[in-house]
Amino acid sequence: MTSIRDTAPPWQSPSGARARPVAPQVVRRVSELVGADPEALAQTLGLLTPHQLAGVAALPDPLPVTAAVRAAALDGTAGALDPEDRHLLLTAGVLVLDRVDVLLGATGAPVERLLAPPLAGHLQLADGRFRVADPRLRAVVHEDADLTERTAVHAALATELERVGEPGAARWHAALATLAGDPALADGLVRLARQRLGQGCAVAAHAIAREAASHGTGDVRARAFLVAGRAALLAGHLRDAAGWLERVASTGVATVQEDAERARDAVLALVDARPLDRATGASAPRRGRTAALDADDDDPPGVRLARLVVPVARATVSSADRAVLAAVVEALARLDRYPREADEVLARAVVTAVPYRETAAWAGADGLSPLAEAHLRVVQALVLLRGGDAEQAARVLDDAAARLPLSHVVGGLAAEVARRTGGSDTLAAGLRAVGPDPVPAAVAACGDLGYVRPAAVPSLVVSAVRTCRGGPDGLADVWARWADVLTARELDVARLVADGLANKQVADRLCVSVRTVEVHLGRVFRKVGVSSRAELTVVALRPAS
C-alpha cells in the first residue's frame, strides 16, 4: 500500500511555488472552522501534513491556531474575556455533550453569567443546549490553556457527567484527565468506540479508540488497535487505517486477526483496486491497479466495480452501512445487463439512507459512516449520468465531495463521473490530485451514455431526485395537497426532512430549536399518516394518483 502510506501527494501551485493539493472535504471542513478569510485558510492548511490535506489522515482537533485565526477570533474581545470567561469557554469547547446543565455543574457558574456579555456573544443557548458560536475562539482558548488547566477541566467534566448519568462521556473525559495511562479505563473506551462505530460515527469512534489504545494493555490494546483501524477506514482516513491495522498484526492476539484482515482487504480494494478473488474469497494477488481489476475482462464494467466494493462491505460494522453497501454492490452488478433493476435497488437505498452527520457523534443517532455514504453518492451520480441527467449527477457529486471521502471509492469512479458531467472539471481534477486515476472499469462504466440508457427509459434515481427538487411530476403536487392539512411551518419541516436533512439541520435552517422540529415532525407524521422519516420521504416521492 505504498501509494497511501509511503507516498505524499504531489505539490503544485498556481504561483509556481510548491503547494499541496487538498481534498474537497478537507477544504470545506477547515473553512468551516477558520472562516472564509483566505489568509487564515492558507495559513492553517500550511500547518497540516500532506496526508491530512489529502483526506487520508484525520485532522487535529482543535486545528492549530495561526496568527490570522487568532486575530480574527479575538477581534474586539481580547480585553473583555477575564480568566473565568476563558475557563467557561475552555470547558464548553472540550465538552462532548452540549448540555448547559453539565457545563454549569462542572464550572460552578450561574446561568446568568452565560446570558450576560461577553459570554452571551460567544455561547448560543437554546432548550438546555449550547454551542460555541465561533470555532476559532474555541481553538484559541484551548491553545492558550496549559496542560494543568485542561486536565482539571476534563476531570471536573468527568465527575459531573458521571453524576448526571452519562457514563460514556464521563469515561472519555476521565481518560483525557489522566496524564499516565489507566488500564481500568481502556476496556470501557473500546466498547464505547465500538458502539459509536455501530452508529456510523466513524470519526468519533476513531478518536475514542485512539485514546483507548494509549491506556490499554494486552488483549484490550489489540482490540483498541482494531477498532481504531476500522473506524479510520470508515471515516475515509486510509493511511491512518493502514497504520492501526499493522499494529493489530504486531500484537499476535489471535482473536482480532480475522476482523483486521477484512479491514486490510478493504484498504487494499480502495488504495490498490484489489478486489476479492471469486474462488478463494481472499484479496487478489497484488499486480497493480489495472491488472488486479481487469483480471476478468469478460465481466461487464459494473461487475468488476462491484467486486471492489465487496471487501468494504465485509469490513463494515453498522447494519446501516452494510445495507447500503449491499445495495451498491447489487446495483453495480446489475448495471450493464439489467439497468432498470439496478435503478430500483439504488433508488430504495437513496430514499431510505440516513446521511452521515458530523454533529451526531455523541448524540446516539444512527446514520451512515462517511465511507459508506461516499460509495452510495458516487454510484448514485453514475446512475444519474447514465440516465441522461448530467446536471443532477454533478450536483450530487458537488454536495458529496464537500462532505465525504470520494477520491478512492469504487476505483476512482467519482473523478471519471465528474469529468463526464461536463461542468465539474475542477472537481474531477481535485479528486485526481488527491486520489488515484480512475481504473479502466470506472471509465468503461460511464461508457457510451446514449447507448447505455436511451432517453425513453428514465432512471428511478433520476425521477426521485427530480421529484425532490420539485420537478413537474413530483413534490409540487404533494406540497399543494399537504398544504390543506399542514401548517406553513409543518410544511417547511416536511419539505426539509423529505430532502434528507436531520432534525438538527432542519432546526438550523429554520432558526428554531431541535425540540420544536421534533414537535412539528410528530404532527406531520400524524396528519400525513406515516410513522417514520423514510416513510414520509417515500410518500413525498409518490406521484399524485
Side-chain angles (χ1 to χ4, degrees):
M1 287 179 282
T2 56
S3 53
I4 284 293
R5 287 190 52 72
D6 302 321
T7 304
W11 290 61
Q12 179 92 38
S13 87
S15 64
R18 292 174 68 76
R20 297 169 287 185
V22 188
Q25 77 274 16
V26 174
V27 174
R28 190 273 311 173
R29 182 60 180 157
V30 174
S31 297
E32 283 183 347
L33 295 175
V34 306
D37 175 31
E39 184 178 2
L41 181 60
Q43 288 180 2
T44 303
L45 293 175
L47 295 177
L48 301 179
T49 71
H51 295 106
Q52 288 169 339
L53 293 173
V56 295
L59 293 174
D61 181 35
L63 289 172
V65 176
T66 67
V69 168
R70 179 175 292 277
L74 298 179
D75 183 26
T77 68
L81 293 175
D82 63 26
E84 187 173 348
D85 293 331
R86 286 177 174 267
H87 180 73
L88 275 162
L89 287 171
L90 174 64
T91 306
V94 300
L95 176 55
V96 293
L97 298 181
D98 58 355
R99 291 175 50 173
V100 172
D101 62 323
V102 175
L103 175 62
L104 297 176
T107 60
V111 69
E112 290 77 14
R113 188 171 185 96
L114 306 185
L115 299 173
L119 289 181
H122 300 306
L123 291 176
Q124 298 174 346
L125 309 181
D127 292 339
R129 307 285 175 177
F130 73 87
R131 185 173 75 90
V132 179
D134 189 344
R136 297 171 299 185
L137 185 59
R138 171 182 179 265
V140 169
V141 169
H142 188 274
E143 183 177 87
D144 289 348
D146 60 28
L147 181 60
T148 300
E149 185 177 1
R150 293 179 198 168
T151 301
V153 164
H154 285 295
L157 286 171
T159 300
E160 181 64 16
L161 286 162
E162 194 68 48
R163 188 187 71 80
V164 300
E166 294 283 358
R171 187 175 293 270
W172 165 255
H173 284 289
L176 294 178
T178 305
L179 296 180
D182 184 355
L185 295 170
D187 186 62
L189 287 172
V190 172
R191 285 186 276 108
L192 179 62
R194 178 66 169 73
Q195 179 187 19
R196 289 292 177 262
L197 193 53
Q199 295 171 322
C201 302
V203 175
H206 186 197
I208 297 167
R210 287 199 312 263
E211 188 64 26
S214 70
H215 292 271
T217 59
D219 288 5
V220 174
R221 194 178 193 207
R223 288 192 288 113
F225 289 163
L226 173 62
V227 178
R230 297 172 89 178
L233 165 68
L234 294 170
H237 302 148
L238 303 182
R239 184 177 187 274
D240 287 347
W244 288 112
L245 296 171
E246 285 180 5
R247 297 178 77 175
V248 174
S250 71
T251 65
V253 176
T255 54
V256 296
Q257 298 305 325
E258 184 177 349
D259 284 339
E261 189 60 37
R262 287 198 191 99
R264 280 191 289 269
D265 286 342
V267 174
L268 289 170
L270 291 162
V271 175
D272 293 334
R274 292 170 64 183
L276 292 183
D277 183 271
R278 291 183 300 180
T280 67
S283 291
R286 184 171 184 178
R287 292 172 287 174
R289 292 179 57 84
T290 302
L293 185 61
D294 290 340
D296 298 289
D297 283 333
D298 292 338
D299 285 337
V303 172
R304 285 182 276 156
L305 293 178
R307 291 176 58 220
L308 282 177
V309 183
V310 171
V312 182
R314 289 181 58 186
T316 57
V317 175
S318 76
S319 57
D321 279 4
R322 197 171 298 116
V324 158
L325 289 171
V328 168
V329 169
E330 184 177 357
L332 286 170
R334 296 173 181 268
L335 191 63
D336 299 290
R337 292 173 180 163
Y338 308 102
R340 186 68 180 182
E341 293 179 11
D343 281 357
E344 292 171 354
V345 169
L346 199 64
R348 286 195 297 270
V350 168
V351 166
T352 59
V354 178
Y356 168 68
R357 286 173 288 164
E358 219 164 325
T359 57
W362 290 87
D366 292 330
L368 294 178
S369 69
L371 189 67
E373 191 185 350
H375 280 78
L376 176 64
R377 301 307 173 194
V378 169
V379 177
Q380 179 187 2
L382 172 64
V383 172
L384 287 164
L385 181 64
R386 290 168 65 103
D389 197 338
E391 182 179 352
Q392 186 57 39
R395 287 199 194 102
V396 169
L397 275 186
D398 287 344
D399 172 73
R403 303 181 296 110
L404 304 167
L406 302 188
S407 58
H408 288 80
V409 304
V410 200
L413 178 62
E416 182 62 20
V417 174
R419 186 181 71 84
R420 297 292 191 100
T421 61
S424 298
D425 290 343
T426 300
L427 176 58
L431 291 170
R432 293 178 79 153
V434 297
D437 289 339
V439 295
V443 176
C446 294
D448 180 352
L449 299 180
Y451 172 77
V452 171
R453 183 182 306 284
V457 186
S459 161
L460 290 181
V461 175
V462 172
S463 300
V465 174
R466 284 176 176 163
T467 298
C468 284
R469 297 294 177 185
D473 302 322
L475 288 185
D477 291 336
V478 172
W479 304 135
R481 297 197 310 273
W482 285 2
D484 295 334
V485 295
L486 301 179
T487 67
R489 184 44 58 94
E490 288 167 356
L491 199 62
D492 290 339
V493 171
R495 285 176 184 271
L496 295 172
V497 169
D499 207 27
L501 273 68
N503 286 357
K504 180 65 167 61
Q505 293 169 310
V506 174
D508 291 344
R509 187 74 62 86
L510 298 179
C511 299
V512 298
S513 70
V514 174
R515 178 58 185 158
T516 299
V517 171
E518 292 170 349
V519 170
H520 285 312
L521 190 56
R523 292 171 181 164
V524 170
F525 284 2
R526 288 193 297 274
K527 292 180 180 181
V528 177
V530 299
S531 58
S532 69
R533 307 169 72 87
E535 192 176 356
L536 176 68
T537 306
V538 170
V539 172
L541 291 174
R542 190 177 296 150
S545 55

